[in-house]
Amino acid sequence: MQVHADHDRLFSALADATRRDIVRRALDGAEGVVELAEHYPMSFAAVQKHVAILERAGLVTKHRIGRRKVVRTNVEGLRAAQRLLDQYELLWRARVDRMNAILAESTEATP
Amino acid sequence: MQVHADHDRLFSALADATRRDIVRRALDGAEGVVELAEHYPMSFAAVQKHVAILERAGLVTKHRIGRRKVVRTNVEGLRAAQRLLDQYELLWRARVDRMNAILAESTEATP
DNA sequence: CGCACATACAACCGTATGGTTGTACTTGAT
DNA sequence: ATCAAGTACAACCATACGGTTGTATGTGCG
């Protein structure tokens, strides 16, 4: 149940172009919230909220540097999303394999 | 701009536990909307809406079989999400490589 | 044909979301 | 000690979202 909520937060955090761009920019881990905000046509507070959402989703972390707080992407968060998608792919492949096995059986039974 | 909207739809479709479960179930591509709906504690119409959202996101397709419409997961849709996440990973690795190169340079300059 | 089943869609409701402005708390520089 | 930069947070507003019920549409069967 809790796992689902984590995944909800993860994907809904990624479901916004501004937030995805913040994730991309924060891969360098060099900008504070003010600097980030300057890239987007919205208020500083709005960007701050986006960062907070990404933080709660485990996609970025904040680190104090001087009087700024630098935003840095947490690659492990991205990997969590990748793993979930990989699981679907694995289930799908397993099903394809099962079907192939069945098909192989039936064709070898009818020469 | 349009690409962003596609990605928005893709990830926000995945940002709901019920919808993720529908994606999982529809990997088998065997159930119609009514059968799907029976698995969840909500009305048929609600499930129908979820399926519509997944369909618009390109994550499932519907196929008429008899008087039912079978819901089937579109694995290519899942892959689109994977590719996007992979791109972030690639950017991140590129940055790590750049940093390693810089570090190697500076250490070989100070024997 | 006529009925029942599977699906589709519209109207509505409460709550979450993305945005705004305004105020308050730290921290570094002067 | 003071002031400004950087950040945090609360209150508010419009719209989107997840859910409901109710009504239509289309398809198979007797």
Side-chain angles (χ1 to χ4, degrees):
Chain A
M1 203 54 160
Q2 206 65 331
V3 181
H4 293 173
D6 285 351
H7 293 155
D8 286 4
R9 267 182 245 120
L10 188 51
F11 285 114
S12 71
L14 288 169
D16 181 284
T18 302
R19 287 197 290 265
R20 286 194 300 274
D21 198 66
I22 292 175
V23 164
R24 185 182 60 76
R25 284 204 139 91
L27 284 169
D28 286 334
E31 296 184 306
V33 186
V34 165
E35 288 121 301
L36 277 175
E38 283 163 1
H39 301 298
Y40 309 106
M42 65 186 71
S43 71
F44 162 76
V47 174
Q48 195 169 255
K49 276 192 179 185
H50 282 306
V51 172
I53 288 171
L54 289 169
E55 198 176 13
R56 267 177 40 92
L59 281 167
V60 305
T61 54
K62 285 189 277 196
H63 306 268
R64 230 206 160 92
I65 292 191
R67 72 174 132 183
R68 299 180 315 149
K69 268 191 180 169
V70 154
V71 180
R72 183 183 311 162
T73 295
N74 174 22
V75 185
E76 194 45 47
L78 287 172
R79 296 222 175 99
Q82 287 178 312
R83 276 196 296 271
L84 193 53
L85 296 177
D86 280 344
Q87 283 179 19
Y88 292 125
E89 275 261 0
L90 286 177
L91 286 174
W92 182 75
R93 286 185 197 285
R95 180 183 163 269
V96 169
D97 288 348
R98 261 183 282 130
M99 282 199 31
N100 283 344
I102 291 170
L103 287 177
E105 246 179 61
S106 64
T107 50
E108 97 190 8
T110 58
Chain B
M1 204 55 158
Q2 205 67 330
V3 181
H4 292 174
D6 286 351
H7 292 156
D8 286 4
R9 269 181 243 119
L10 188 52
F11 284 115
S12 71
L14 288 169
D16 180 286
T18 302
R19 286 197 291 265
R20 285 193 302 273
D21 198 66
I22 291 175
V23 165
R24 186 182 59 75
R25 284 205 139 92
L27 285 168
D28 285 334
E31 296 184 306
V33 186
V34 166
E35 289 119 301
L36 277 175
E38 284 162 359
H39 300 300
Y40 309 106
M42 66 185 71
S43 72
F44 163 75
V47 174
Q48 196 169 252
K49 274 193 181 184
H50 282 307
V51 172
I53 289 171
L54 289 169
E55 198 177 13
R56 276 199 312 136
L59 281 167
V60 305
T61 54
K62 285 189 277 195
H63 307 270
R64 241 223 141 83
I65 292 191
R67 72 175 132 184
R68 301 180 314 149
K69 269 191 179 169
V70 154
V71 181
R72 184 184 309 160
T73 295
N74 174 22
V75 186
E76 193 45 46
L78 287 172
R79 296 223 176 96
Q82 287 178 311
R83 276 196 295 272
L84 193 53
L85 295 177
D86 281 344
Q87 283 179 18
Y88 291 126
E89 274 260 2
L90 286 176
L91 287 174
W92 182 75
R93 284 185 199 285
R95 180 185 164 266
V96 169
D97 288 349
R98 260 183 282 129
M99 283 200 29
N100 283 342
I102 291 169
L103 287 177
E105 247 179 60
S106 64
T107 49
E108 96 191 12
T110 58

